Amino acid sequence: MSEIKYYSEEGLQKLKDELHQLIVFDRPAAAAAIAEARDKGDLSENAEYDAAKEAQGHLEARISKLQDLVANARLLDESKIDTSKVLLLSIITIRNTKTGATQKYTIVPESEANLKEAKISITSPFASAFLGHKVGDMVEVNVPAGKMTFELKKIER
C-alpha cells in the first residue's frame, strides 16, 4: 500500500483532472497509434510499432501511479487551519531583515510546490524553518548564500 499524502482541494483536483485526461483521451490515442503502426507490416522490424508500445507502457505506468495517488490522497480541511502559527497551507508574509524586502508564500504539500506561484514545499529547508513560528518571530534560514534572517509579518489561511 502506498503512503497517504495530503493535498489541498486545488492540488487533488489537478491530479484527478490529469488522470481523467490520460484515461479518456490519451489511452485511446495510444491504442490507435499501435493499431496504425501494426497495419504497416512486419512487427519484428517495425520501429514505429515498438515506439508506440513503449509510449503506451509509459502512459499506463503514469495512469497507475495517479490512480494510486488519488486512492491514498487525503484532503486538508483549510477551515480548520490554525492561523496563530505557521502550518501546512499557511500563507505567510515575511520581511528580509537585511534588505527590508517583503515576500508572500504559501506552504503546500511537496507535490503542489510551484515557485512561480509562490507555493513552497513544506519539506523544503526554507519552509520548514518557519513551521510553528508566530507573527513577529525572527526566523533564521540557511540558504546557499549563508544564513538570512526574516521577520514573520503575517499568517493567513
Side-chain angles (χ1 to χ4, degrees):
M1 185 173 159
S2 293
E3 74 178 274
I4 292 173
K5 292 196 176 193
Y6 293 90
Y7 294 90
S8 65
E9 192 171 336
E10 175 188 349
L12 183 56
Q13 189 58 50
K14 282 182 182 179
L15 282 179
K16 289 178 178 180
D17 290 346
E18 182 182 355
L19 182 58
H20 177 76
Q21 169 70 31
L22 294 175
I23 291 172
V24 174
F25 300 104
D26 295 355
R27 184 182 269 167
I34 290 171
E36 183 180 323
R38 190 181 312 121
D39 291 342
K40 292 186 177 176
D42 184 9
L43 297 183
S44 65
E45 295 181 18
N46 189 333
E48 190 175 337
Y49 177 78
D50 292 339
K53 287 295 283 182
E54 186 175 335
Q56 182 189 39
H58 290 298
L59 175 68
E60 291 302 327
R62 180 68 181 151
I63 288 172
S64 178
K65 181 179 180 186
L66 284 173
Q67 287 173 327
D68 191 45
L69 285 173
V70 169
N72 293 298
R74 299 296 181 266
L75 194 59
L76 291 165
D77 186 353
E78 295 182 46
S79 67
K80 294 183 180 177
I81 293 176
D82 179 5
T83 56
S84 68
K85 61 185 175 186
V86 178
L87 301 168
L88 183 62
L89 296 185
S90 292
I91 301 168
I92 60 172
T93 302
I94 58 174
R95 184 181 64 81
N96 183 321
T97 58
K98 186 176 182 181
T99 65
T102 59
Q103 298 162 310
K104 190 174 188 176
Y105 294 106
T106 303
I107 298 177
V108 297
E110 189 173 356
S111 61
E112 298 180 35
N114 183 336
L115 199 53
K116 288 181 182 177
E117 296 176 3
K119 294 180 178 181
I120 55 175
S121 169
I122 192 166
T123 60
S124 72
F126 191 83
S128 61
F130 289 95
L131 293 177
H133 285 278
K134 299 177 185 253
V135 171
D137 285 356
M138 295 294 180
V139 180
E140 196 171 85
V141 180
N142 288 320
V143 295
K147 291 185 179 192
M148 297 178 75
T149 305
F150 296 90
E151 179 184 5
L152 186 54
K153 301 292 284 177
K154 187 176 181 183
I155 302 171
E156 305 170 61
R157 157 177 87 71

